[in-house]
Amino acid sequence: MNSLSRLGAEPVAIRLPDQLKTVAGLVIPGGESTTILKLLDEYGLSEPLVRSISAGLPVLATCAGVICLADHISSHDMEPLRLLHISVSRNGFGRQIDSFEEDLSIATLPGPAYRGVFIRAPVIESIDDGVEVLARLTNGTIVACRQGNIVAACFHPEFVDDLRFHTYFLNMVEEHAGLCST
Ligand code: GLN
């Protein structure tokens, strides 16, 4: 939220379905995907979320957020929202102790390398047609992608001082808001 505020946005925490109608974009952050999916269900947010995102609401999903939106989670029996046509492996890089940082070259971010902070991150194992790769590790693993109004990152843009990833997302939000008002 801090990064978005620094860029002039006014972030609010969404807890109830009706609030979804009041925002121009949505961040589904890192955390624990099992808990996020459970709470979405308990608060009656899953269905409205699927509806809003399918209707074009711009979304930035990071880490656990990517898992929640995926089509398929390998080696886990969680039911994700199936909005983003990728298959992910939860904790695909290992445990907390295997968390790491790596300089990334992100297709849509001009300028110097972007520092990716990976904390018990998922691995994007495969992507379907219509999903564009935005970044890979040097070993080729896909760690960021975009599918229309959804941008997904396995790393944590909120943990670096570099605001380019959030700027990229806010540009998506502005473009979408512009389309809605015409
Ligand atoms: N490992 C967590 C999960 O499976 C994600 C971790 C994170 O969001 N940093 O949900």
Side-chain angles (χ1 to χ4, degrees), residues 29-34 62-65 67 90-91 119-122 156:
E32 210 50 59
S33 49
T34 41
T62 62
C63 210
I67 302 171
R90 194 172 169 236
N91 299 332
I119 303 168
R120 282 193 311 125
H156 284 267

Side-chain angles (χ1 to χ4, degrees), residues 2-124:
N2 196 16
S3 305
L4 292 171
S5 304
R6 281 171 64 196
L7 289 165
E10 293 167 32
V12 287
I14 302 286
R15 295 201 171 81
L16 299 170
D18 276 352
Q19 287 181 283
L20 273 175
K21 297 180 192 133
T22 67
V23 293
L26 189 68
V27 176
I28 306 184
E32 210 50 59
S33 49
T34 41
T35 309
I36 296 174
L37 285 168
K38 192 165 158 261
L39 289 174
L40 286 177
D41 251 358
E42 277 180 21
Y43 281 76
L45 266 164
S46 302
E47 223 179 87
L49 204 64
V50 169
R51 242 181 288 128
S52 300
I53 298 174
S54 303
L57 183 70
V59 184
L60 167 61
T62 62
C63 210
V66 180
I67 302 171
C68 294
L69 293 187
D71 263 354
H72 178 72
I73 308 168
S74 61
S75 65
H76 211 279
D77 58 5
M78 277 190 314
E79 229 1 87
L81 298 175
R82 296 185 200 287
L83 286 162
L84 177 59
H85 305 318
I86 63 172
S87 182
V88 298
S89 158
R90 194 172 169 236
N91 299 332
F93 294 105
R95 298 188 303 172
Q96 187 79 16
I97 196 166
D98 302 307
S99 296
F100 64 100
E101 296 187 14
E102 186 170 317
D103 277 341
L104 304 169
S105 155
I106 301 185
T108 43
L109 304 187
Y114 184 91
R115 192 75 176 158
V117 178
F118 296 83
I119 303 168
R120 282 193 311 125
V123 165
I124 299 177

